[in-house]
Amino acid sequence: MTAPEGSEKMPERRQFLADLLRGAGAAAVGGLAWAGFLDGKKAYPTVLRPPGAVKEEKFLALCTKCGLCAEACPYKALVIAKPGDERPVGTPYFTMRENPCRMCRDIPCAVACPTGALDSSLMRDKDEQGRDKLNINLAKVGLAVIDRETCIAYWGIQCDACYRVCPVIDKALTVEKTVNDRTGKHAILAPVVHSEHCTGCGVCERACVTKKASIFVLPVHIAMGESSDRYVRGWDEKDEQRIEDVSEETKTVTPRSEKSALEYLNKDGF
Amino acid sequence: MKDLVVRNRYLILRRFSQISILAFFIGANRYGWKVLKGNLSNSRLFDTVPLTDPFALLQLTATGNIASREALIGGALIFVFFAVVGGRAFCSWVCPLNMITDLANRLRRVLPAKAGISLRMDRNVRYWAAGLAFVLSAVLGIAAFEWISPISILHRGLIFGMGAGWTAIVAVFLFDLLLVPHGFCGHVCPLGAFYSLAGKFSFIRVRHLKDNCTQCMQCIEHCPEQQVLPMVGIASSFVTSGECTNCAKCIDVCRDHAMKLGFRTGKL
């Protein structure tokens, strides 16, 4: 049998295909290792991003870790995560207890971001003259949360350190006066956070006098729950209007509601 | 002394370029200088001109997000500069990790016991790595190489604080010193692969003059990408491979004036 023309090149082609296969195999192995490494890096849910940060998932995609936001911060409050910081490496974050956000009116960090990971247009509204301007009060770095068990104001000790330093005083943080039931004679002047105004700047967290801050900032999605559509605040007309458009079909399903009431009350022992 | 300077003139120029770029970035962070703010991923020149790593930008795009116009302009500026003018010069004239790997490979040459073994590794691994960077970026939704790049870890570390990042740098150093000669820059780095492709047709080129060549092979001995010099002693021609980093080490070591740096359009 005579060899067909070009048969000398056959070993070359075989070699090429083998090389290609080997390369693809190595790439698959490398890719899996690489991907496993990256996946671990993504999970750090309590990280506090600069004002104007888009949703964490998108933020991680858009942030090129250039540090321009940190350099723009006049208070050097933004930290660039180093390996070992337990944050996605190279990305900016706050450590409120040490150095909180001072809520600059011109929001230099967000303006400095070249990629859109920080979007200053999220913090724009109109002033009294109808002009478009930046408004740091629209920032949502996080939400301040109070641990009432360690907050000494809730013990009845007069402390309003967090209230007084709050840049959005009397809106984001108020003091509520109640009778101190423990003594029957004294007042409790307790700080209360209001989520619609709190920017999560963390100034309160730094000011807190307890050994470990009793008011601290968490990302909004961690600090807050979410009630279902059909729960209504009693005797509140506005809240009743809220459910007028909710469809008839709405049904809240939780692990507990899937069982009948009798079942979980009588047999489950709570 | 003068001889030493002349024999290392391109090395001195490269170190000057690498160190001054780094110094401008560090100065911007520490003292508020306005020459180069940010870092190699993204920066602003004189507070106005945006400069963006085009490879990082492509990975970002692969995640399904679009960067702002500023970042896109910055990426285009860098890309055009290296594609038209500099070729793969980023690697040898800008990248700070190059100083680490150069040190490892110099030690490999000088150390008496011939430090380390010389594993063979396919130089095309880097192209697979570059391809993987895009695939993983698309799958995971984050710019994949930017998350593990030892270049960024070193560069950011010097500007913003190193943390535990030094381990990655030592790993690259030891990889080059003990396992694969020119291992990281010449075999693995996807950014180098990107610039090899991007700078394929750039103008600044090393050229070889056969008539001057005495075939001492010093150029090939010192070249970090030896495969780009097949013409040495055989023909006068420009280096055509995009994998040449324009480090000009071959020119420094050539005693016969057989290597020159010039424009591709010029005469040989």
Side-chain angles (χ1 to χ4, degrees):
Chain A
M1 198 176 90
T2 53
E5 206 179 332
S7 67
E8 291 152 16
K9 289 188 178 165
M10 286 302 282
E12 240 172 70
R13 191 167 78 173
R14 195 170 299 162
Q15 182 63 40
F16 172 76
L17 287 172
D19 282 350
L20 197 69
L21 211 63
R22 204 174 301 136
V29 172
L32 285 171
W34 192 345
F37 184 73
L38 293 188
D39 233 27
K41 293 258 166 184
K42 279 181 84 173
Y44 199 88
T46 57
V47 66
L48 294 169
R49 298 299 184 194
V54 296
K55 245 180 105 197
E56 180 69 4
E57 202 175 294
K58 198 175 177 199
F59 178 87
L60 290 177
L62 285 173
C63 175
T64 52
K65 307 167 181 157
C66 65
L68 280 167
C69 53
E71 288 181 348
C73 177
Y75 301 96
K76 298 260 169 220
L78 279 169
V79 184
I80 299 296
K82 303 184 287 289
D85 277 2
E86 296 187 315
R87 309 282 201 290
V89 173
T91 59
Y93 68 98
F94 284 113
T95 50
M96 299 308 188
R97 190 65 158 159
E98 280 107 57
N99 204 348
C101 172
R102 306 314 198 290
M103 295 178 67
C104 311
R105 288 185 182 201
D106 51 349
I107 323 181
C109 53
V111 173
C113 179
T115 59
L118 306 180
D119 185 358
S120 58
S121 71
L122 295 174
M123 297 173 289
R124 285 194 166 277
D125 66 357
K126 304 259 191 263
D127 63 8
E128 289 101 27
Q129 278 87 43
R131 285 173 302 201
D132 197 43
K133 66 162 180 42
L134 287 168
N135 183 358
I136 184 65
N137 286 336
L138 298 176
K140 279 280 169 223
V141 172
L143 177 62
V145 174
I146 297 174
D147 174 9
R148 295 185 179 197
E149 288 189 15
T150 53
C151 171
I152 56 171
Y154 279 87
W155 291 5
I157 295 172
Q158 194 177 5
C159 172
D160 54 6
C162 57
Y163 168 73
R164 291 208 174 270
V165 295
C166 178
V168 201
I169 187 168
D170 284 327
K171 285 183 177 166
L173 204 47
T174 59
V175 167
E176 286 189 3
K177 194 166 83 178
T178 51
V179 174
N180 186 344
D181 278 344
R182 189 169 58 82
T183 64
K185 296 177 184 174
H186 305 89
I188 286 178
L189 296 163
V192 174
V193 179
H194 302 276
S195 65
E196 62 184 305
H197 292 295
C198 177
T199 62
C201 71
V203 170
C204 54
E205 180 172 336
R206 190 176 64 156
C208 182
V209 302
T210 58
K211 191 155 68 181
K212 180 166 174 283
S214 299
I215 181 165
F216 44 86
V217 179
L218 291 175
V220 177
H221 71 276
I222 288 181
M224 290 185 85
E226 191 183 350
S227 56
S228 319
D229 289 340
R230 289 209 169 266
Y231 294 119
V232 173
R233 286 186 192 87
W235 288 276
D236 183 341
E237 269 182 46
K238 271 192 188 157
D239 212 37
E240 271 184 42
Q241 280 169 16
R242 182 170 57 86
I243 64 159
E244 274 171 11
D245 296 331
V246 176
S247 89
E248 295 283 330
E249 298 298 315
T250 310
K251 191 166 182 238
T252 301
V253 179
T254 65
R256 174 159 288 190
S257 72
E258 278 180 336
K259 300 175 178 177
S260 81
L262 275 179
E263 199 182 346
Y264 81 73
L265 282 178
N266 294 339
K267 293 179 188 158
D268 255 15
F270 300 98
Chain B
M1 179 62 200
K2 195 190 164 201
D3 192 40
L4 203 68
V5 172
V6 172
R7 268 192 289 149
N8 289 294
R9 60 197 188 279
Y10 281 107
L11 180 68
I12 293 166
L13 282 174
R14 287 201 298 123
R15 292 294 177 258
F16 179 75
S17 162
Q18 289 165 321
I19 291 170
S20 49
I21 288 171
L22 199 54
F24 282 132
F25 280 128
I26 293 172
N29 188 45
R30 301 260 169 90
Y31 314 112
W33 298 353
K34 291 186 174 165
V35 184
L36 265 176
K37 275 181 157 180
N39 64 27
L40 289 175
S41 305
N42 243 316
S43 58
R44 281 198 191 95
L45 185 64
F46 301 117
D47 247 349
T48 42
V49 185
L51 299 171
T52 307
D53 173 358
F55 184 57
L57 200 60
L58 284 176
Q59 290 171 67
L60 194 161
T61 313
T63 67
N65 292 283
I66 307 278
S68 69
R69 200 175 58 184
E70 186 191 335
L72 294 174
I73 293 171
L77 286 175
I78 293 291
F79 182 82
V80 167
F81 174 76
F82 287 112
V84 175
V85 185
R88 204 188 148 190
F90 174 88
C91 299
S92 56
W93 292 78
V94 180
C95 181
L97 195 64
N98 171 263
M99 292 191 266
I100 306 283
T101 57
D102 270 6
L103 179 66
N105 288 296
R106 164 161 288 225
L107 282 179
R108 186 183 262 276
R109 200 173 293 122
V110 240
L111 283 183
K114 273 262 164 191
I117 44 172
S118 295
L119 287 181
R120 285 178 61 86
M121 191 173 174
D122 193 332
R123 283 189 183 265
N124 289 331
V125 165
R126 52 185 153 193
Y127 296 107
W128 287 94
L132 265 181
F134 290 122
V135 173
L136 290 180
S137 298
V139 172
L140 300 175
I142 47 175
F145 181 57
E146 303 314 303
W147 282 69
I148 58 165
S149 160
I151 303 166
S152 308
I153 287 172
L154 172 65
H155 186 62
R156 250 192 340 255
L158 291 170
I159 301 172
F160 298 107
M162 187 66 77
W166 62 270
T167 54
I169 309 308
V170 172
V172 170
F173 176 79
L174 293 178
F175 179 62
D176 272 33
L177 179 69
L178 303 176
L179 298 180
V180 183
H182 303 289
F184 185 77
C185 304
H187 297 75
V188 180
C189 181
L191 184 60
F194 170 78
Y195 278 119
S196 296
L197 297 174
K200 176 89 176 93
F201 302 105
S202 67
F203 279 109
I204 293 186
R205 289 285 151 168
V206 170
R207 54 188 165 151
H208 170 66
L209 308 170
K210 187 194 159 214
D211 294 345
N212 293 352
C213 179
T214 57
Q215 303 201 17
C216 70
M217 296 298 155
Q218 279 298 301
C219 51
I220 292 184
E221 168 75 22
H222 285 85
C223 179
E225 300 277 353
Q226 295 159 341
Q227 75 283 8
V228 310
L229 292 174
M231 78 296 271
V232 168
I234 297 168
S236 294
S237 78
F238 291 104
V239 170
T240 49
S241 169
E243 286 167 0
C244 170
T245 66
N246 277 341
C247 71
K249 189 71 198 168
C250 54
I251 305 175
D252 276 349
V253 298
C254 181
R255 316 306 297 276
D256 309 319
H257 306 285
M259 306 303 269
K260 292 248 157 70
L261 203 58
F263 287 101
R264 183 182 248 167
T265 45
K267 66 177 172 55
L268 274 168

